[in-house]
């Protein structure tokens, strides 16, 4: 398609009838109609080298002084040079591109006056394949530009205002593409404008996270209701943050359909972390109190460590399994565990220096370490495999620490999880603290046992003291109450302890006490509870027997009492006793002891009447007789 003339200096023709083409004109009335719509027609006849303009257009441009009828000279005479050159660049681009595109412009007269914003548009006219002219119109878009400027100013103000908001804010269209977002959203994503605009969640997050967020959006679109919920969000760089997300649909005013959705995100990670930290500190404090109590109430080390280990998931939530391995001459053996098959732990042992924690760390770490993808680490490093778990699940994360005290490695403490990347720096801090407690417990175990013995057992006889006996007896009564078991309470009192002390001294009295306590310990089961209440008083709680049989047995001890040596011979260890039956006589320990004490008192009084005054000769001859 060729243009039939070159761009020369055309003549300007003012007319009240604008040619539509070669076949007709626009009437003045129609021109008026166009003017009311803000349109001012023009026609360029390339063959005649004429541009037809209406006087209305010149009035709009305020270019009424038409002394020179040539376009170039007229334009250069009326406009500032820069604007005149801009005007002709538009015309040249039309001829060169053979295409009339809409162009917005405004003109500044030499007088300094500026025209309104205008938009020129049109189309080429052709006949027999030849372009012979162009027709179009100039439109007054000043009001539209002013509105757009105002809208842009409002938009910029809104952007500035929203960017001042520290919360991440965004808007998506119905297809899920991000159309708007503030600086806070870009910052939290750590992405640039080009990486967000027009993209979807599948372009920004990993697939699993994108699926979750997309599902949330679809629910919102369907229910068309405001959503407020908490969500843990994983970003592509591995960060995990906790958010409260607020979303609302954007409705069309015309038909009410959902056009998109707007949302903002409140990052509550630090608040939740602080809350979890406070809760964890409270749990740790409670756990330490329980450990301190357990030290005094659990006699053997293995049971104590087992108790501590099973309590740890309360303060380290990701721990599914755990072990405490103690060092015996360079060999690590499992002393306590949870989550692993017990019969496997009993035979599990390996040299300390072959531990994968030590080998992977290239030496013994001073503090707790985390090893993720533990199965891969074990297989690639030819390490000792982990024990089989009770649940049958595979361990993926490991957190362990050596138990060190005064430079000596006492053992290893480890926690394991079925999830990968589950343990955190906070968990390491807690584990290090618990590890210190374990080190103290192991280092001071003998002292604990000694203190424990002093607090529980009578130093002379090794029987439970009054306090510990009452604690054991109460527990036995509670247990019997749940199972419907009967228990027998026995109270025994040595008949002549005061006389022995008076005649032969307290060493002889101690011998009498130890002789009787030895009789009790050798005659009854470890599961029976035996105690010395003080002085010459002894007691016991017996199960799985009946009252008559137990009384027969104690009477046989009275008939053939054991003896102990004193100066001049030996003295029989005679005693009186009384019994009470739980729950027939009472369900109260204090009441049962009172009943047994009254029964014992009657036996003792009967013996006194039979023996009369007790002398040294009587005691020595009593054995003979």
């Amino acid at each position: 398609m060729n243009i039939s003339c070159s761009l020369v200096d055309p003549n300007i023709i003012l007319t009240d009838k604008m040619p539509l083409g070669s076949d007709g004109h626009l009437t003045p009335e129609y021109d008026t109609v166009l003017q009311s719509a803000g349109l001012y027609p023009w026609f360029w006849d390339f063959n005649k080298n004429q541009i037809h303009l209406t006087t209305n257009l010149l009035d709009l441009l305020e270019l009424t002084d038409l002394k020179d009828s040539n376009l170039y000279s007229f334009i250069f005479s009326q406009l500032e040079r820069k604007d005149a050159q801009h005007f002709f660049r538009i015309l040249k681009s039309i001829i060169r591109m053979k295409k009339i595109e809409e162009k917005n412009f405004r003109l500044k007269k030499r007088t300094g006056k500026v025209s309104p914003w205008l938009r020129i548009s049109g189309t080429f006219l052709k006949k027999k394949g030849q372009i012979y002219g162009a027709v179009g119109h100039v439109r007054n878009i000043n009001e539209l530009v002013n509105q757009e400027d105002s809208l842009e100013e409002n938009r910029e103000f809104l952007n500035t205002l929203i960017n001042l908001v520290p919360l991440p804010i965004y808007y998506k269209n119905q297809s899920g593409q991000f159309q708007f977002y503030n600086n806070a959203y870009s910052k939290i994503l750590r992405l640039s404008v080009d990486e967000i605009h027009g993209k979807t969640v599948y372009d920004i997050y990993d697939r699993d996270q994108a699926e979750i967020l997309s599902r949330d959006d679809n629910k919102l679109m369907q229910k068309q209701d405001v959503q407020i919920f908490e969500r843990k969000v994983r970003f592509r760089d591995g960060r995990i943050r906790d958010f409260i997300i607020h979303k609302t649909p954007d409705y069309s005013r015309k038909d009410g359909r959902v056009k998109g959705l707007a949302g903002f995100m409140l990052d509550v990670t630090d608040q939740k972390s602080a809350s979890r930290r406070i809760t964890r500190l409270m749990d740790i404090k409670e756990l330490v109190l329980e450990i301190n109590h357990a030290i005094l109430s659990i006699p053997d080390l293995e049971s104590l460590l087992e108790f501590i280990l099973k309590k740890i998931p309360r303060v380290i939530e990701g721990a599914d399994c755990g072990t405490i391995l103690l060092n015996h001459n360079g060999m690590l053996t499992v002393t306590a565990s949870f989550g692993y098959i017990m019969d496997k732990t009993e035979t599990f042992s390996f040299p300390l220096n072959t531990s994968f924690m030590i080998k992977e760390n290239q030496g013994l770490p001073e503090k707790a370490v985390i090893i993720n993808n533990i199965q891969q680490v074990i297989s690639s490093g030819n390490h000792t495999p982990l024990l089989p778990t009770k649940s049958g699940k595979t361990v993926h994360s490991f957190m362990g620490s050596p138990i060190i005290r005064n430079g000596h490695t006492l053992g290893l403490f480890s926690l394991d999880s079925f999830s990968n990347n589950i343990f955190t720096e906070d968990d390491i801090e807690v584990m290090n603290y618990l590890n210190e407690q374990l080190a103290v417990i192991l280092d001071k175990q003998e002292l604990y046992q000694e203190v424990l013995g002093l607090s529980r057992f009578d130093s002379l006889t090794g029987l439970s003291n009054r306090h510990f006996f009452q604690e054991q007896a109460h527990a036995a009564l509670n247990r019997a109450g749940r199972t419907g078991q009967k228990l027998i309470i026995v109270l025994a009192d040595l008949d002549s302890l005061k006389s022995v002390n008076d005649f032969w001294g307290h060493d002889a009295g101690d011998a009498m006490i130890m002789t009787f306590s030895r009789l009790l310990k050798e005659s009854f089961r470890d599961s029976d509870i035996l105690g010395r209440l003080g002085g010459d008083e002894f007691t016991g709680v017996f199960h799985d027997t009946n009252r008559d049989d137990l009384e027969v047995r104690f009477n046989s001890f009275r008939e053939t009492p054991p003896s102990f040596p004193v100066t001049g011979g030996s003295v029989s260890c005679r005693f009186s006793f009384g019994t009470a039956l739980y729950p027939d006589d009472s369900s109260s320990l204090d009441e049962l002891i009172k009943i047994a004490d009254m029964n014992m008192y009657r036996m003792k009084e009967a013996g006194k009447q039979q023996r009369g005054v007790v002398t040294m000769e009587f005691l020595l001859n009593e054995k003979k007789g």
Side-chain angles (χ1 to χ4, degrees), residues 495-521:
D495 288 339
S496 305
L497 178 61
K498 184 177 183 306
S499 298
V500 170
N501 282 330
D502 291 341
F503 297 149
W504 287 285
H506 287 283
D507 287 343
D510 289 347
M512 186 179 192
I513 292 171
M514 288 187 288
T515 299
F516 184 69
S517 65
R518 188 162 47 250
L519 170 68
L520 295 177
K521 287 189 284 188

Side-chain angles (χ1 to χ4, degrees), residues 326-373:
L326 295 188
N327 180 15
H328 299 286
N329 300 319
M331 294 294 293
L332 291 177
T333 56
V334 178
T335 304
S337 70
F338 78 95
Y340 288 110
I341 298 175
M342 290 299 297
D343 59 351
K344 299 294 183 181
T345 64
E346 295 174 359
T347 58
F348 188 70
S349 178
F350 57 91
L352 171 64
N353 57 8
T354 65
S355 164
F356 63 78
M357 180 179 71
I358 295 175
K359 292 173 71 175
E360 289 296 320
N361 194 65
Q362 297 182 348
L364 191 68
E366 295 181 359
K367 298 293 182 181
V369 294
I370 295 173
I371 301 177
N372 294 309
N373 301 305

Side-chain angles (χ1 to χ4, degrees), residues 256-294:
R257 67 181 180 84
V258 177
K259 299 189 299 180
L261 64 87
F264 69 82
M265 306 165 68
L266 176 62
D267 191 340
V268 294
T269 307
D270 294 338
Q271 293 92 319
K272 290 194 68 174
S273 178
S275 177
R276 284 194 297 266
R277 188 175 180 83
I278 292 172
T279 301
R280 175 176 280 186
L281 288 174
M282 296 298 292
D283 289 341
I284 291 172
K285 181 180 178 181
E286 185 177 338
L287 178 58
V288 170
L289 291 175
E290 290 184 23
I291 290 174
N292 289 334
H293 177 73

Side-chain angles (χ1 to χ4, degrees), residues 454-501:
L454 291 173
S455 66
R456 289 178 167 184
F457 303 103
D458 176 57
S459 59
L460 181 61
T461 64
L463 300 178
S464 297
N465 58 26
R466 178 184 290 271
H467 175 76
F468 189 46
F469 170 79
Q470 289 179 332
E471 185 178 316
Q472 290 176 298
H474 277 299
L477 262 63
N478 290 334
R479 194 162 49 247
R482 292 193 300 271
T483 61
Q485 188 181 33
K486 290 183 181 292
L487 298 176
I488 302 166
I489 309 298
V490 175
L491 199 67
D493 188 277
L494 298 178
D495 288 339
S496 305
L497 178 61
K498 184 177 183 306
S499 298
V500 170
N501 282 330

Side-chain angles (χ1 to χ4, degrees), residues 359-606:
K359 292 173 71 175
E360 289 296 320
N361 194 65
Q362 297 182 348
L364 191 68
E366 295 181 359
K367 298 293 182 181
V369 294
I370 295 173
I371 301 177
N372 294 309
N373 301 305
I374 189 63
Q375 297 298 333
Q376 181 179 345
V377 171
I378 290 174
S379 60
S380 63
N382 195 26
H383 301 302
T384 303
L386 294 175
L387 289 163
T389 64
K390 289 181 179 179
S391 66
K393 294 181 179 180
T394 302
V395 170
H396 291 289
S397 287
F398 164 92
M399 180 168 62
S401 173
I403 307 172
I404 301 174
R405 187 71 173 173
N406 298 325
H408 299 290
T409 303
L410 306 179
L412 295 181
F413 170 33
S414 71
L415 297 174
D416 308 310
S417 177
F418 302 140
S419 302
N420 210 10
N421 301 299
I422 193 70
F423 296 120
T424 66
E425 291 297 322
D426 288 343
D427 294 330
I428 286 181
E429 184 179 345
V430 174
M431 190 173 196
N432 286 333
Y433 175 77
L434 294 174
N435 198 33
E436 291 173 1
Q437 301 303 309
L438 287 175
V440 172
I441 290 171
L442 293 173
D443 187 44
K444 303 299 182 183
Q445 180 61 22
E446 290 186 9
L447 177 60
Y448 287 149
Q449 293 299 323
E450 183 179 343
V451 172
L452 191 63
L454 291 173
S455 66
R456 289 178 167 184
F457 303 103
D458 176 57
S459 59
L460 181 61
T461 64
L463 300 178
S464 297
N465 58 26
R466 178 184 290 271
H467 175 76
F468 189 46
F469 170 79
Q470 289 179 332
E471 185 178 316
Q472 290 176 298
H474 277 299
L477 262 63
N478 290 334
R479 194 162 49 247
R482 292 193 300 271
T483 61
Q485 188 181 33
K486 290 183 181 292
L487 298 176
I488 302 166
I489 309 298
V490 175
L491 199 67
D493 188 277
L494 298 178
D495 288 339
S496 305
L497 178 61
K498 184 177 183 306
S499 298
V500 170
N501 282 330
D502 291 341
F503 297 149
W504 287 285
H506 287 283
D507 287 343
D510 289 347
M512 186 179 192
I513 292 171
M514 288 187 288
T515 299
F516 184 69
S517 65
R518 188 162 47 250
L519 170 68
L520 295 177
K521 287 189 284 188
E522 291 174 354
S523 302
F524 297 102
R525 299 161 297 187
D526 291 339
S527 57
D528 295 322
I529 303 170
L530 302 173
R532 181 187 176 199
L533 299 182
D536 54 4
E537 281 190 308
F538 294 83
T539 187
V541 177
F542 302 89
H543 62 91
D544 296 331
T545 187
N546 64 64
R547 190 174 193 172
D548 292 339
D549 290 344
L550 191 62
E551 288 182 349
V552 168
R553 193 169 187 186
F554 268 91
N555 280 320
S556 69
F557 296 155
R558 295 184 78 237
E559 291 173 2
T560 56
S563 61
F564 58 95
V566 295
T567 302
S570 62
V571 175
S572 296
C573 191
R574 294 197 177 275
F575 65 95
S576 301
F577 74 94
T579 64
L581 181 62
Y582 170 88
D584 298 37
D585 293 333
S586 176
S587 60
S588 165
L589 179 62
D590 291 340
E591 287 297 321
L592 290 169
I593 290 177
K594 285 180 181 179
I595 292 169
D597 187 57
M598 287 189 294
N599 292 332
M600 180 197 69
Y601 181 76
R602 282 194 291 268
M603 181 181 289
K604 185 178 280 289
E605 286 300 310

Side-chain angles (χ1 to χ4, degrees), residues 134-403:
V135 66
H137 63 261
V138 174
R139 182 179 180 184
N140 183 352
I141 61 169
N142 204 58
E143 184 177 349
L144 178 62
V145 170
N146 289 337
Q147 290 175 352
E148 289 179 349
D149 287 345
S150 178
L151 183 62
E152 183 62 27
E153 288 177 2
N154 290 335
R155 185 182 293 112
E156 289 179 358
F157 172 75
L158 181 61
N159 286 345
T160 301
L161 188 63
I162 291 179
N163 280 325
L164 290 175
V165 178
L167 300 179
I169 300 174
Y170 59 87
Y171 177 85
K172 303 178 187 177
N173 62 18
Q174 195 175 20
S175 301
Q177 295 171 313
F178 288 94
Q179 301 297 303
F180 173 80
Y181 42 88
N182 65 350
N183 290 341
Y185 190 70
S186 177
K187 183 177 180 181
I188 198 70
L189 292 179
R190 297 181 180 174
L191 296 175
S192 65
V193 172
D194 293 337
E195 292 173 307
I196 302 174
H197 191 77
K199 302 297 192 298
T200 69
V201 290
Y202 290 95
D203 301 309
I204 293 174
Y205 300 93
D206 61 49
R207 184 164 188 82
D208 291 341
Q209 185 65 68
E211 290 285 355
I212 294 171
L213 296 175
S214 179
R215 191 161 53 245
D216 291 340
D217 291 347
N218 290 335
K219 287 181 181 178
L220 179 69
M221 297 285 193
Q222 293 170 2
K223 293 185 177 181
Q224 299 186 10
D225 196 10
V226 174
Q227 288 185 355
I228 302 174
F229 56 92
E230 188 171 320
R231 175 77 69 222
K232 190 179 291 292
V233 177
R234 180 190 293 274
F235 297 98
R236 279 195 166 177
D237 58 5
R239 288 175 299 130
I240 300 177
R241 307 289 292 179
D242 293 299
F243 291 97
I244 294 176
I245 301 176
H246 186 127
K247 292 182 180 180
T248 184
D250 177 29
Y251 300 101
S252 170
R253 292 184 179 181
K254 293 182 179 179
D255 53 19
R257 67 181 180 84
V258 177
K259 299 189 299 180
L261 64 87
F264 69 82
M265 306 165 68
L266 176 62
D267 191 340
V268 294
T269 307
D270 294 338
Q271 293 92 319
K272 290 194 68 174
S273 178
S275 177
R276 284 194 297 266
R277 188 175 180 83
I278 292 172
T279 301
R280 175 176 280 186
L281 288 174
M282 296 298 292
D283 289 341
I284 291 172
K285 181 180 178 181
E286 185 177 338
L287 178 58
V288 170
L289 291 175
E290 290 184 23
I291 290 174
N292 289 334
H293 177 73
I295 290 171
L296 300 176
S297 60
I298 299 178
D300 64 290
L301 176 62
E302 187 172 326
S303 298
L304 176 60
L305 295 179
E306 195 91 22
F307 171 84
I308 294 171
L309 196 57
K310 289 180 178 179
K311 294 287 184 179
I312 285 175
R314 278 172 39 194
V315 293
I316 300 179
E317 295 180 358
D320 298 309
C321 311
T323 56
I324 296 176
L325 302 97
L326 295 188
N327 180 15
H328 299 286
N329 300 319
M331 294 294 293
L332 291 177
T333 56
V334 178
T335 304
S337 70
F338 78 95
Y340 288 110
I341 298 175
M342 290 299 297
D343 59 351
K344 299 294 183 181
T345 64
E346 295 174 359
T347 58
F348 188 70
S349 178
F350 57 91
L352 171 64
N353 57 8
T354 65
S355 164
F356 63 78
M357 180 179 71
I358 295 175
K359 292 173 71 175
E360 289 296 320
N361 194 65
Q362 297 182 348
L364 191 68
E366 295 181 359
K367 298 293 182 181
V369 294
I370 295 173
I371 301 177
N372 294 309
N373 301 305
I374 189 63
Q375 297 298 333
Q376 181 179 345
V377 171
I378 290 174
S379 60
S380 63
N382 195 26
H383 301 302
T384 303
L386 294 175
L387 289 163
T389 64
K390 289 181 179 179
S391 66
K393 294 181 179 180
T394 302
V395 170
H396 291 289
S397 287
F398 164 92
M399 180 168 62
S401 173
I403 307 172

